[in-house]
Amino acid sequence: MEWVNETSVREFIFLGFSSLAGLQRLLFIVFLLVYLFTLGTNAIIISTIVLDRALHTPMYFFLGVLSCSETCYTFVIVPKMLVDLLAQKKTISFLGCTIQMFTFLFLGCSHSFLLAVMGYDRYVAICNPLRYTVLMGHGACAGLVAAACFCGFTVAQIITSLVFHLPFHSSNQLHHFFCDISPVLKVASHHTHFSQVVIIMLCALVLVIPLLLILLSYIHIVSAILQFPSTLGRHKAFSTCASHLIIVIVHYGCASFIYLRPKSNYSSSQDVLISVSYTILTPLFNPVIYSLRNKEFKSALQRVVGRTISLPQ
């Protein structure tokens, strides 16, 4: 990526946790433990899906991709944040900030479209079960993931280009712990109305379009489930969708609060709090919600562990 930017700012200073100077070592320990647990659970999910043939289905394929995405997503932000919690000078270079924003946006936008893909998968599984293996073959699944990544890449490229083509001549202090859109825009010397409108529209489209697709899928899903003759069948069908719905609510709730608010309601302290939730806490809960409470996944995990233990014998 080539950035043309006449700027006097060569680095940015993070002030996200500056008001909690006395608690930064404690925060380091807490966030490190959470991060290691998140990495461990995602590694278990990916390994189990790869090693157990019973999980070689579209639903678990998408779950594996989601776990990979979340692992990369946290890797872009959390390690740097942990280092800064112990450092006296919490800085990031101009290029480093550019790369961090692009990668974060790419993974975050792809995540939104991937959730829509997972909603479509549940729609096909429940509403067209006889055609499920045909409609959701290996090629179709790979194509849907590629499309989600392409959309995420395109949006991230446009937004990052618009942000870092702005002039940065004065302040370089970001009231945040990573290079998010609003804190960086706030320290730009000036920005055009056109760039602001394009960024807001792209953020809205990334959130609204996948959410509308998910809602459309679930309207058909609920309609189909209510026609099931047995209560047990309805309960089982709803349970397969519950985890996805919880993650959708958390993801779109946090993202909408950050990116779709009017500029007059901007609060750096609120943004830091919400950002901690979706960069650290949400990736922690997602594996637990989606997999570790799933009976089919737990059975597969037991089989994989059993085979691994019996290998030396």
Side-chain angles (χ1 to χ4, degrees):
M1 292 177 290
E2 197 174 317
W3 309 103
V4 180
N5 196 334
E6 295 179 5
T7 175
S8 59
V9 172
R10 291 288 174 263
E11 65 179 17
F12 293 101
I13 301 172
F14 292 129
L15 301 177
F17 297 111
S18 58
S19 61
L20 302 172
L23 296 175
Q24 289 191 13
R25 291 186 183 276
L26 176 61
L27 289 174
F28 171 82
I29 295 170
V30 172
F31 291 160
L32 177 62
L33 292 174
V34 171
Y35 180 57
L36 292 176
F37 182 80
T38 302
L39 290 180
T41 50
N42 279 315
I44 289 170
I45 289 168
I46 295 166
S47 301
T48 305
I49 291 171
V50 170
L51 295 173
D52 193 273
R53 292 185 63 84
L55 299 185
H56 291 183
T57 63
M59 184 179 84
Y60 287 102
F61 169 72
F62 294 132
L63 179 58
V65 174
L66 188 72
S67 294
C68 287
S69 171
E70 288 192 334
T71 302
C72 297
Y73 177 85
T74 55
F75 185 74
V76 171
I77 296 170
V78 179
K80 171 62 177 168
M81 181 195 69
L82 291 172
V83 170
D84 286 343
L85 282 171
L86 297 181
Q88 292 294 322
K89 192 177 181 184
K90 312 174 195 305
T91 61
I92 187 171
S93 67
F94 190 89
L95 178 61
C97 191
T98 305
I99 294 171
Q100 187 184 57
M101 180 182 288
F102 170 79
T103 312
F104 159 72
L105 288 174
F106 165 55
L107 293 168
C109 295
S110 300
H111 189 97
S112 287
F113 289 108
L114 188 59
L115 287 175
V117 169
M118 295 174 81
Y120 174 72
D121 171 69
R122 292 297 83 210
Y123 158 73
V124 177
I126 292 171
C127 299
N128 293 286
L130 298 179
R131 301 186 61 202
Y132 182 64
T133 54
V134 176
L135 293 174
M136 301 301 293
H138 295 300
C141 291
L144 288 169
V145 170
C149 292
F150 176 77
C151 292
F153 180 89
T154 304
V155 172
Q157 178 77 15
I158 295 171
I159 291 178
T160 311
S161 298
L162 288 171
V163 170
F164 286 95
H165 273 78
L166 298 172
F168 294 86
H169 295 300
S170 51
S171 174
N172 67 338
Q173 296 183 340
L174 303 181
H175 292 273
H176 216 295
F177 58 91
F178 71 97
C179 294
D180 205 353
I181 299 171
S182 295
V184 176
L185 283 177
K186 198 174 181 183
V187 299
S189 299
H190 71 269
H191 27 81
T192 64
H193 180 68
F194 171 76
S195 63
Q196 282 186 308
V197 170
V198 172
I199 290 170
I200 292 171
M201 285 182 61
L202 285 173
C203 289
L205 288 174
V206 166
L207 292 172
V208 172
I209 291 177
L211 186 58
L212 288 176
L213 293 173
I214 291 168
L215 289 174
L216 187 62
S217 295
Y218 274 100
I219 288 171
H220 288 90
I221 286 170
V222 171
S223 177
I225 290 175
L226 292 176
Q227 295 176 22
F228 286 8
S230 69
T231 305
L232 181 62
R234 288 196 294 270
H235 180 267
K236 187 176 180 181
F238 275 123
S239 66
T240 62
C241 302
S243 299
H244 179 251
L245 276 174
I246 293 171
I247 291 175
V248 166
I249 291 168
V250 172
H251 173 78
Y252 286 102
C254 292
S256 298
F257 181 85
I258 293 290
Y259 299 109
L260 298 185
R261 281 178 306 163
K263 191 176 178 182
S264 58
N265 293 340
Y266 179 83
S267 167
S268 57
S269 58
Q270 283 182 336
D271 273 12
V272 169
L273 183 62
I274 297 297
S275 296
V276 166
S277 73
Y278 74 73
T279 56
I280 298 174
L281 299 181
T282 302
L284 167 69
F285 293 130
N286 283 1
V288 178
I289 292 169
Y290 228 120
S291 297
L292 302 182
R293 63 182 290 273
N294 183 305
K295 290 181 181 178
E296 186 179 12
F297 179 85
K298 286 193 286 188
S299 298
L301 179 59
Q302 289 171 357
R303 289 193 296 271
V304 170
V305 171
R307 288 199 297 268
T308 305
I309 292 172
S310 63
L311 279 177
Q313 303 173 358

